[in-house]
Amino acid sequence: MLRHSAALGALIGGIAIVSYAKSQPVLAKERGNGAVDSLRDRMAAVNWTVPPRLVQEALLRGTSPASPLDLLVVGGGATGCGVALDAAARGLRVGLVERDDFASGTSSRSTKLIHGGVRYLEKAVFQLDYKQLNLVFHALDERAQLIQNAPHLCHSLPTMTPCYQWWEIPYYWAGLKLYDIVAGRQMLHLSRYHSAKESFEFFPTLAKTAGDGKTLKGTVVYYDGQMDDARVNVSLACTAALAGAAVLNHAEATAIIKDESTGQVVGARVRDNLSGRDFDVHAKVVVNAGGPFVDELRRFADKESKPMIAPSSGVHVVLPDYYSPESMGLIVPKTKDGRVVFMLPWLGRTVAGTTDSISPITMLPEPKEEEIQFILDAISDYVCVKVRRSDVMSAWSGIRPLASDPSANGDTSSISRDHVICVEPHGMVTITGGKWTTYRSMAQDAVDAAIKSGNLSPTNGCVTRDLPLIGGEGYDPSCFAIIAQQYVRMKRTYGGKIIPGAMDTAAAKHLASAYGGMAHRVALIAQNEGLGKRLAHGYPYLEAEVAYCARNEYCESAVDFIARRSRLAFLDTDAANQALPRVIEILAEEHKWDKHRKKLEISKAKAFLETFKSSKNAQFFDGKHKMVR
């Protein structure tokens, strides 16, 4: 026991020393980095545009064995797009293909948190595990960088931990204060204790008595980050394109190309899923960033490859805003059955979750009814309002790719919460595992491995640490007020007449938070092209966003917009259904779709929305709104 206490003291002392060093002032970063400055200049230009999709496809088609890309990235999630951006910013010739849309898989179905891993810290202390401690240091550092580089899409969020037993107050208070210390200068805000009375003022729907009959003694509030995950991912893809990468969504790698003499992977056969055309893309190195699907591509290259992925499914449900305050989350670290449950405000609604269970790997995972009910039952113990299945506005399942090292002989202890990079004997580089918070450093490690494996020659080192994403450059938190003052929403009536409407605060705040420094472009479309009408009752999404995303964010389908450019599908599937006809109408005009394509889009979008398992929202079944069913 004495040795254990001494070791624990040494660990905590080490945490304090390292945190002190991290908290000291650092010298200003060197200015004049050509790659960063050039990209910043392009973002600041008044009329910049990302290369059109046809141009991106032509760049990929133009590769050959004699003129290959340096890197071909397969997978357009956070990690894949992060790899493309990192490599392009280093001056490498880069391509990326994604068989569906950017963020269409795990990266749009996260908990929306940018967290340092407070549970890893608990393990580090009680298991005296320095590896877990390093994970926390690393994640907290990356959390700060992500919020810095995409400030319009990321923000801090206070989260309340209720204490229904007296001993929980000092336990959680000490643990979360240690979390503050570990964060050092990257700390968002100090954690704090609130009495039961104060807690009800901050969180009015918090239960005074938990499900087991114990009364609330107080709460401890700590801070982590929150984001709009899909829009961060789309911004990564567009920033990579602006940096020179040829990124192509709805383009599937269907086979691996190998050099006949050496057996090395030198490219991929790609099918454009929009046109049905096949073409070869040649590259010195292929980076496999397929998330849960990395084993599929690895088997294309080697049928005997051992699996890396242990898929885990996490289910989340979206509830009305009255379940939680606008700016305070709730997390119960240990429920009656030992699981974690949370409720977090997100984009005007409440996200609750989560389950963690073994899952098959599928393109469109669906939440099971028993998983939805488990979440509802779990949160009902901690809120004073009746939790109803009919309140579920949307529910989704995401597959987390827990990774193991394929060389570890199947040992389950090798399954990692950190990322894994595997350089195959045939030269393909696979990156998987990890978490959203650390996508940037994961990408950096993958590009470093690819440079070494392919003997590539970048013009500079990694610059993504301080590289803003599109929308982050020039963003100011007060810019919504300027948008509200300077623009009007010109709306087309059912009779075809254009009438002016106010750019109200809700719409202006939404544009600023979704598009950052680019918000004025969307506002200008709303004003000058008569696209200022809202797409769905009760939501700030404007028609102008559909046109903007089609022109500037590679929005190629109705699902691309309702699920990832906007978040209507995730927030409220009935609202997304209401918006669908107008979304398709605008996209058809932008992309020149015929009647057959429009019918196909409706069919695909309806099938997609069925996977979200919502209850019908009464406000859209009052006879006043056109629905697509």
Side-chain angles (χ1 to χ4, degrees):
M1 175 64 93
L2 188 60
R3 288 198 305 271
H4 186 87
S5 301
L8 178 60
L11 178 62
I12 295 175
I15 290 172
I17 292 169
V18 176
S19 299
Y20 177 79
K22 279 176 165 281
S23 67
Q24 296 312 294
V26 294
L27 296 175
K29 292 182 174 62
E30 183 181 352
R31 295 186 175 276
N33 185 304
V36 175
D37 291 346
S38 175
L39 196 50
R40 283 180 182 269
D41 289 343
R42 269 176 271 174
M43 290 182 191
V46 176
N47 294 316
W48 66 262
T49 57
V50 294
R53 189 176 188 278
L54 287 175
V55 171
Q56 301 288 57
E57 183 179 338
L59 289 171
L60 295 175
R61 283 176 173 273
T63 62
S64 68
S67 180
L69 299 170
D70 290 314
L71 252 67
L72 172 63
V73 184
V74 179
T79 304
C81 289
V83 169
L85 174 57
D86 187 315
R90 297 196 202 196
L92 296 173
R93 189 180 174 204
V94 183
L96 178 146
V97 293
E98 160 59 48
R99 66 175 161 189
D100 195 339
D101 183 30
F102 308 122
S104 58
T106 306
S107 294
S108 63
R109 297 167 179 265
S110 76
T111 306
K112 323 304 178 194
L113 286 176
I114 316 166
H115 61 90
V118 68
R119 283 185 291 168
Y120 302 153
L121 181 60
E122 185 179 32
K123 290 180 181 178
V125 171
F126 287 103
Q127 297 176 14
L128 304 179
D129 189 336
Y130 283 96
K131 185 177 180 181
Q132 295 284 344
L133 180 59
N134 284 332
L135 280 176
V136 180
F137 274 124
H138 176 58
L140 286 168
D141 186 48
E142 291 297 322
R143 180 187 72 177
Q145 296 307 125
L146 180 51
I147 294 173
Q148 171 190 296
N149 292 337
H152 56 305
L153 296 168
C154 307
H155 60 89
S156 62
L157 176 71
T159 304
M160 182 175 281
T161 302
C163 303
Y164 287 94
Q165 299 186 72
W166 286 114
W167 67 264
E168 291 178 327
I169 294 174
Y171 178 81
Y172 289 128
W173 183 88
L176 294 171
K177 281 299 176 186
L178 188 58
Y179 195 52
D180 291 345
I181 294 171
V182 171
R185 63 186 176 88
Q186 288 97 352
M187 181 175 59
L188 301 177
H189 295 281
L190 278 169
S191 58
R192 59 188 186 272
Y193 164 76
H194 289 298
S195 66
K197 182 180 179 182
E198 292 170 330
S199 300
F200 296 133
E201 292 175 0
F202 286 110
F203 206 113
T205 55
L206 183 63
K208 294 181 180 179
T209 304
D212 55 7
K214 296 183 176 71
T215 58
L216 185 74
K217 306 300 189 294
T219 60
V220 181
V221 174
Y222 75 101
Y223 286 77
D224 256 329
Q226 190 179 49
M227 63 178 167
D228 185 337
D229 52 3
R231 285 210 56 81
V232 174
N233 199 154
V234 170
S235 293
L236 276 169
C238 293
T239 308
L242 204 61
V247 300
L248 196 67
N249 55 352
H250 302 284
E252 181 176 0
T254 58
I256 287 295
I257 302 171
K258 286 188 175 182
D259 185 287
E260 293 182 359
S261 60
T262 65
Q264 293 292 291
V265 171
V266 291
R269 183 74 171 167
V270 174
R271 175 177 297 124
D272 183 338
N273 286 330
L274 299 181
S275 68
R277 296 189 297 264
D278 292 299
F279 56 94
D280 291 339
V281 181
H282 298 271
K284 296 175 184 176
V285 180
V286 172
V287 176
N288 178 4
F293 301 95
V294 293
D295 285 332
E296 181 181 323
L297 194 66
R298 293 175 67 242
R299 284 192 293 270
F300 284 165
D302 179 4
K303 293 181 180 179
E304 304 301 319
S305 62
K306 295 181 180 179
M308 291 181 67
I309 296 301
S312 172
S313 171
V315 172
H316 303 77
V317 302
V318 173
L319 300 163
D321 55 353
Y322 55 73
Y323 273 81
S324 65
E326 184 179 352
S327 57
M328 179 70 76
L330 179 75
I331 184 166
V332 180
K334 196 170 185 179
T335 57
K336 286 181 292 187
D337 68 351
R339 301 201 216 184
V340 176
V341 68
F342 61 81
M343 292 197 309
L344 307 171
W346 183 64
L347 300 180
R349 295 293 178 259
T350 299
V351 175
T354 180
T355 61
D356 188 7
S357 57
I358 297 172
S359 168
I361 298 175
T362 175
M363 286 290 289
L364 275 180
E366 298 184 28
K368 296 177 182 177
E369 189 60 38
E370 56 265 30
E371 293 174 315
I372 294 173
Q373 197 58 55
F374 164 78
I375 294 171
L376 299 180
D377 290 343
I379 65 174
S380 67
D381 288 339
Y382 301 97
V383 293
C384 62
V385 297
K386 184 177 181 181
V387 180
R388 306 176 300 183
R389 177 63 176 88
S390 59
D391 284 341
V392 176
M393 307 172 81
S394 183
W396 72 84
S397 174
I399 299 174
R400 184 180 182 187
L402 298 180
S404 61
D405 188 334
S407 64
N409 299 317
D411 181 4
T412 56
S413 66
S414 66
I415 294 176
S416 175
R417 294 287 170 175
D418 202 356
H419 63 276
V420 172
I421 294 176
C422 176
V423 181
E424 311 279 0
H426 46 64
M428 186 165 71
V429 176
T430 296
I431 170 115
T432 191
K435 55 184 180 177
W436 234 118
T437 307
T438 58
Y439 86 88
R440 190 208 63 81
S441 61
M442 290 169 61
Q444 180 179 345
D445 291 347
V447 175
D448 288 343
I451 289 171
K452 183 178 180 181
S453 174
N455 196 25
L456 307 179
S457 302
T459 58
N460 52 267
C462 178
V463 297
T464 55
R465 183 175 175 83
D466 298 299
L467 183 65
L469 303 185
I470 283 176
E473 183 73 5
Y475 169 72
D476 185 284
S478 66
C479 68
F480 75 91
I482 299 170
I483 292 169
Q485 286 182 334
Q486 294 186 352
Y487 296 95
V488 296
R489 295 189 294 120
M490 302 302 293
K491 301 180 286 185
R492 189 181 300 274
T493 66
Y494 289 111
K497 185 179 179 181
I498 303 292
I499 59 172
M503 183 64 75
D504 55 274
T505 303
K509 280 186 173 180
H510 160 65
L511 293 182
S513 63
Y515 302 94
M518 301 297 106
H520 67 282
R521 292 192 180 191
V522 188
L524 202 61
I525 294 172
Q527 178 174 278
N528 293 353
E529 300 182 31
L531 294 174
K533 200 171 183 179
R534 279 182 164 84
L535 288 165
H537 177 67
Y539 291 88
Y541 298 106
L542 305 181
E543 295 173 334
E545 295 178 66
V546 186
Y548 174 85
C549 292
R551 299 169 194 175
N552 298 284
E553 293 188 351
Y554 301 113
C555 181
E556 303 295 334
S557 74
V559 172
D560 288 356
F561 183 81
I562 62 173
R564 293 170 288 271
R565 303 312 182 280
S566 77
R567 307 313 308 276
L568 272 172
F570 284 80
L571 290 169
D572 188 332
T573 56
D574 287 319
N577 242 318
Q578 181 203 353
L580 196 53
R582 185 60 178 142
V583 169
I584 292 173
E585 189 178 334
I586 297 169
L587 285 175
E589 187 173 337
E590 292 292 327
H591 293 314
K592 312 304 178 190
W593 291 345
D594 58 18
K595 289 183 179 179
H596 173 73
R597 175 65 187 273
K598 288 194 281 188
K599 287 182 179 179
L600 184 63
E601 287 294 319
I602 289 176
S603 175
K604 286 184 175 180
K606 286 173 63 178
F608 177 80
L609 290 173
E610 285 295 321
T611 68
F612 282 74
K613 307 299 182 186
S614 70
S615 297
K616 288 186 177 181
N617 186 336
Q619 69 174 320
F620 296 120
F621 292 85
D622 56 5
K624 299 178 183 178
H625 299 98
K626 181 180 178 182
M627 301 296 296
V628 177
R629 287 289 181 190

